[in-house]
Amino acid sequence: LRTAVHHFFASKGIDPCMTEGLLWYSDELDRVGFMQNGSMMARALHPDRFPKWALYGASMPQYVAGDSLSDVVLVEDILSALKVNYATGRTAVAVLGTSLKAETKLLLSETQTALVMLDGDPAGRQGSIPMLREVRFLGANARIALTPRGLDPKDLTLSRIRNLIPCPTELN
């Protein structure tokens, strides 16, 4: 990968091995992209670039990092999903915001246990309880893991993520 991409990931606490085989990079656009189901979300590498995230393709209601949807951790963004999945081995679903889209609700309809772990900013705190209620309404046993104030899950160390996320059996 390019040096700019490595620097960007390092600034977000993301080890390149967490993204192996998942990336697209454009020198011209200065963006790194994450592809899934024929669409791509591309993140600007520089903080002053607008928009921060750009969609290429029809739609991407969520980004799934992991294989099984029976036990999931719900986070706001793709980088947090990659890091939570890497730290815990649990499937992490980036809901790409603080609320569940109709497509994401359908995806989660067979989920048995879910942990809502949104960002530690005001929007994430305000979105956690409504999301918890929606996931429970879908039939999942769900709880909230509060990310420390001012931080995203991607900002946390791997061990801190593991400490905040209970084992699935502890959710019952």
Side-chain angles (χ1 to χ4, degrees):
L1 287 177
R2 316 282 280 159
T3 302
V5 175
H6 278 287
H7 287 292
F8 172 75
F9 284 143
S11 75
K12 300 296 180 188
I14 304 294
D15 187 299
C17 69
M18 296 177 198
T19 64
E20 197 170 315
L22 303 173
L23 294 180
W24 163 90
Y25 173 71
S26 168
D27 268 328
E28 180 183 332
L29 297 174
D30 199 30
R31 290 184 177 275
V32 62
F34 301 89
M35 293 173 269
Q36 199 164 77
N37 300 324
S39 293
M40 176 177 56
M41 289 293 289
R43 174 66 158 81
L45 294 179
H46 297 285
D48 56 349
R49 182 88 190 260
F50 184 79
K52 184 168 39 173
W53 287 95
L55 173 66
Y56 297 91
S59 73
M60 186 180 283
Q62 71 278 319
Y63 183 91
V64 180
D67 300 320
S68 170
L69 291 171
S70 64
D71 169 47
V72 300
V73 180
L74 302 172
V75 297
E76 289 186 42
D77 64 271
I78 294 172
L79 298 175
S80 291
L82 293 170
K83 193 162 185 180
V84 166
N85 172 257
Y86 185 82
T88 66
R90 292 171 71 178
T91 296
V93 178
V95 299
L96 307 178
T98 59
S99 61
L100 298 177
K101 296 160 195 72
E103 297 93 335
T104 307
K105 291 177 189 177
L106 185 61
L107 181 81
L108 298 174
S109 63
E110 300 299 317
T111 297
Q112 297 168 9
T113 57
L115 192 67
V116 176
M117 188 181 195
L118 302 185
D119 296 353
D121 60 8
R125 296 288 168 115
Q126 291 171 352
S128 293
I129 291 177
M131 187 176 294
L132 175 76
R133 288 182 182 138
E134 286 186 284
V135 173
R136 285 181 173 168
F137 181 78
L138 293 170
N141 184 7
R143 289 182 39 198
I144 294 174
L146 286 178
T147 304
R149 287 199 190 282
L151 298 175
D152 298 357
K154 69 179 166 275
D155 299 324
L156 305 174
T157 64
L158 298 176
S159 62
R160 184 79 188 268
I161 291 170
R162 288 183 201 109
N163 289 337
L164 285 173
I165 296 179
C167 294
T169 55
E170 294 175 30
L171 290 174
N172 294 323

